[in-house]
């Protein structure tokens, strides 16, 4: 391997490795090990490469950006303008639209990996990672998806790039086995063709739930949307500018509460009173709520018009499922052919990272809020956990590369391990 030194079985039995039972093979990595080959992991690898620091990228799937390639619906576009979604050191092609399609974004990521010669090790799942205080190194244990020989990577730096969206959140609803119809998470939804002419209940009113409802309408299905909580719906563009860009510009001059007030007034003028259609707004403004809880406002791309016209019906929370039917918390019961769970994703960090200080065991996110959650102890880093999308990931990737570079030369030659040549 380019930047790894394989320590064969007889070397691995050296006393310096006996603080833990060794795997059958052990690889020493001169630079960081990056867990995850999504946009965040690619960004860190590219920033490190620019500074002359090699890295090893481990990915459990068979491709880069597996969430985008394998678990997103066909009509997906970037929700923010492309200038806020580009990765460090390489912008989008000039001929890309303001909101690139899913396919365009995937092509961009593939070109990005090619340009910076990022070659992840695919089909490898990290089973555990912990810091060995005796060696002063991280032990990253991995296994192939088909249960092949286990490998252990030893590294001075570990970058957690699995992100906020590693695992689908599938809630337990009473009567799921009794329902009998199709129940799937949005990670398995591609388009509404299979639901043509059917009544479909979409659970979750975030950006994904809203877009799935619109897609179902466009395929002549009859969607209903479960809205259990308050939600901010904003137009994607205001006054000829993207709502996100306008918000960021106004925040340079005005306090957040005034910008929130402005956004709500303009939204009311453009969209009307969303509460009339069952979409009550939270007490806190959209930016304040995002800053405090990470809850992203919905940027409307046409779903609200379908709600106003009655093509998308609003429903309260689900109490239980019956055979081909749903009973809601208000006692109403209605028949449906299928249910789409737009219930989001969660971090999987607590399942494999043996570390209690940097990441919360409750939600698998850094304990420190943005912009301080990117760095932990003993060479541990996090990227893709800011709840600020690709822009936040890019900012953290640059910080990580700069921090590693500062101690790269002194630490490049580990005194206890045989050296590898690049």
């Amino acid at each position: 391997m380019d930047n790894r030194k394989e320590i064969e079985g007889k070397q691995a039995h050296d006393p310096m490795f006996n603080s833990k039972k060794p795997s059958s093979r052990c690889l020493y990595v001169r630079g960081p090990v990056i867990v995850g080959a999504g946009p965040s992991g690619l960004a860190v690898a590219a920033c490190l490469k620019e500074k002359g620091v090699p890295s090893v990228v481990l990915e459990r799937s068979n491709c880069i950006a597996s969430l985008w390639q394998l678990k997103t619906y066909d009509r997906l576009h970037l929700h923010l303008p492309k200038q806020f979604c580009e990765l460090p050191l390489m912008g989008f092609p000039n001929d890309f639209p303001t909101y690139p399609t899913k396919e365009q974004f995937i092509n961009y990521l593939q070109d990005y990996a090619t340009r910076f010669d990022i070659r992840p090790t695919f089909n490898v799942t990290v089973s555990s990672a912990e810091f060995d205080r005796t060696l002063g190194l991280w032990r990253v244990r991995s296994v192939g998806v088909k249960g092949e020989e286990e490998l252990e990577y030893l590294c001075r730096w570990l970058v957690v790039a699995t992100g906020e969206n590693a695992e689908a959140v599938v809630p337990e609803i009473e009567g799921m086995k009794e329902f009998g119809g199709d129940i799937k998470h949005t990670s398995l939804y591609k388009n509404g063709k299979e639901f043509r002419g059917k009544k479909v209940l979409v659970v979750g009113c975030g950006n994904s739930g809203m877009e799935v409802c619109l897609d179902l309408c466009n395929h002549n299905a009859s969607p209903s949307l479960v809205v259990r909580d308050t939600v901010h719906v904003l137009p994607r563009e205001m006054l000829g500018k993207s709502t996100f860009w306008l918000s960021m510009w106004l925040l340079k001059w005005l306090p957040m509460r005034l910008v929130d007030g402005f956004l709500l007034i303009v939204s009311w003028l453009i969209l009307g009173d969303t509460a009339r259609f069952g979409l009550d707004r939270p007490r806190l403004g959209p930016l304040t709520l995002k800053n405090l809880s990470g809850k992203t406002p919905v940027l409307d791309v046409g779903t609200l018009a379908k709600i106003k016209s009655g093509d998308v019906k609003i429903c309260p929370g689900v109490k239980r499922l019956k055979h081909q039917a749903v009973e809601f918390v208000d006692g109403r019961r209605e028949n449906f052919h299928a249910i789409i769970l737009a219930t989001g994703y969660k971090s999987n960090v607590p399942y494999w990272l043996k570390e209690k200080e940097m990441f919360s065991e409750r939600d698998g996110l850094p304990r420190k809020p943005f912009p301080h959650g990117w760095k932990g102890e003993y060479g541990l880093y996090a990227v893709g956990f800011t709840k600020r999308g690709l822009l936040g990931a890019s900012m953290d990737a640059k910080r990580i590369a700069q921090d590693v570079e500062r101690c790269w030369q002194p630490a490049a030659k580990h005194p206890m391990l045989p050296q590898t040549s690049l």
Side-chain angles (χ1 to χ4, degrees), residues 33-328:
V33 166
I34 301 170
V35 183
S40 298
L42 297 179
V44 175
C47 290
L48 288 168
K49 174 89 48 131
E50 185 206 25
K51 296 179 181 301
V53 180
S55 64
V56 170
V57 183
L58 305 180
E59 169 57 46
R60 65 179 178 178
S61 186
N62 62 356
C63 61
I64 64 169
S66 61
L67 179 67
W68 280 85
Q69 295 211 56
L70 307 177
K71 300 180 180 181
T72 52
Y73 42 89
D74 295 342
R75 65 158 285 122
L76 180 63
H77 289 62
L78 291 179
H79 289 118
L80 302 182
K82 60 183 179 182
Q83 65 264 35
F84 298 108
C85 300
E86 60 189 24
L87 300 185
L89 309 173
M90 178 177 150
F92 284 98
N94 292 329
D95 60 348
F96 272 31
T98 302
Y99 302 95
T101 65
K102 165 185 170 177
E103 290 74 17
Q104 288 172 324
F105 184 59
I106 291 171
N107 289 337
Y108 165 75
L109 294 177
Q110 291 172 334
D111 291 343
Y112 189 87
T114 299
R115 174 172 173 176
F116 295 102
D117 193 29
I118 303 169
R119 303 179 185 182
T121 300
F122 294 117
N123 299 313
V124 169
T125 298
V126 172
S127 57
S128 69
E130 59 185 317
F131 186 70
D132 188 320
R133 294 174 184 269
T134 302
L135 289 179
L137 297 171
W138 285 92
R139 291 179 175 271
V140 183
R141 294 180 177 86
S142 69
V143 63
V145 292
K146 296 182 180 179
E148 295 100 341
E149 181 183 32
E150 187 173 305
L151 291 178
E152 183 175 64
Y153 297 84
L154 298 179
C155 57
R156 173 67 183 83
W157 302 277
L158 175 62
V159 181
V160 180
T162 47
E164 304 153 350
N165 301 320
E167 304 290 343
V169 174
V170 179
E172 285 292 330
I173 305 175
E174 184 181 345
M176 291 181 80
K177 293 182 179 179
E178 183 184 347
F179 180 67
D182 193 11
I183 301 177
K184 65 171 61 179
H185 189 268
T186 46
S187 59
L188 301 175
Y189 177 93
K190 294 304 178 185
N191 57 63
K193 289 181 181 179
E194 64 180 296
F195 301 106
R196 189 180 304 275
K198 295 182 179 180
K199 291 183 64 177
V200 183
L201 183 68
V202 179
V203 180
C205 60
N207 280 296
S208 293
M210 290 282 197
E211 281 212 53
V212 166
C213 282
L214 181 59
D215 189 61
L216 288 167
C217 286
N218 292 339
H219 285 90
N220 297 316
S222 299
S224 294
L225 178 66
V226 170
V227 180
R228 296 173 295 175
D229 201 358
T230 55
V231 58
H232 279 300
V233 181
L234 306 177
R236 187 167 69 172
E237 296 188 344
M238 293 181 175
L239 309 178
K241 300 289 185 180
S242 98
T243 298
F244 183 81
W245 179 92
L246 189 60
S247 300
M248 295 301 100
W249 184 80
L250 288 173
L251 284 172
K252 295 179 180 179
W253 315 101
L254 299 172
M256 188 174 292
R257 60 181 180 82
L258 291 182
V259 179
D260 271 339
F262 171 81
L263 294 177
L264 291 175
I265 290 172
V266 177
S267 293
W268 186 85
L269 292 173
I270 296 175
L271 304 177
D273 181 9
T274 59
R276 291 177 52 206
F277 308 101
L279 301 170
D280 294 320
R281 291 193 182 277
R283 180 178 57 84
L284 298 175
L287 299 182
T288 302
L289 186 64
K290 172 69 173 175
N291 193 50
L292 292 176
S293 69
K295 186 175 181 180
T296 303
V298 171
L299 296 176
D300 181 53
V301 293
T303 309
L304 190 59
K306 297 293 185 181
I307 294 173
K308 290 178 179 180
S309 67
D311 292 319
V312 176
K313 297 179 180 178
I314 300 298
C315 299
V318 175
K319 184 177 181 180
R320 65 171 63 90
L321 305 183
K322 300 289 187 179
H323 179 66
Q324 297 274 303
V326 176
E327 183 180 333
F328 297 100

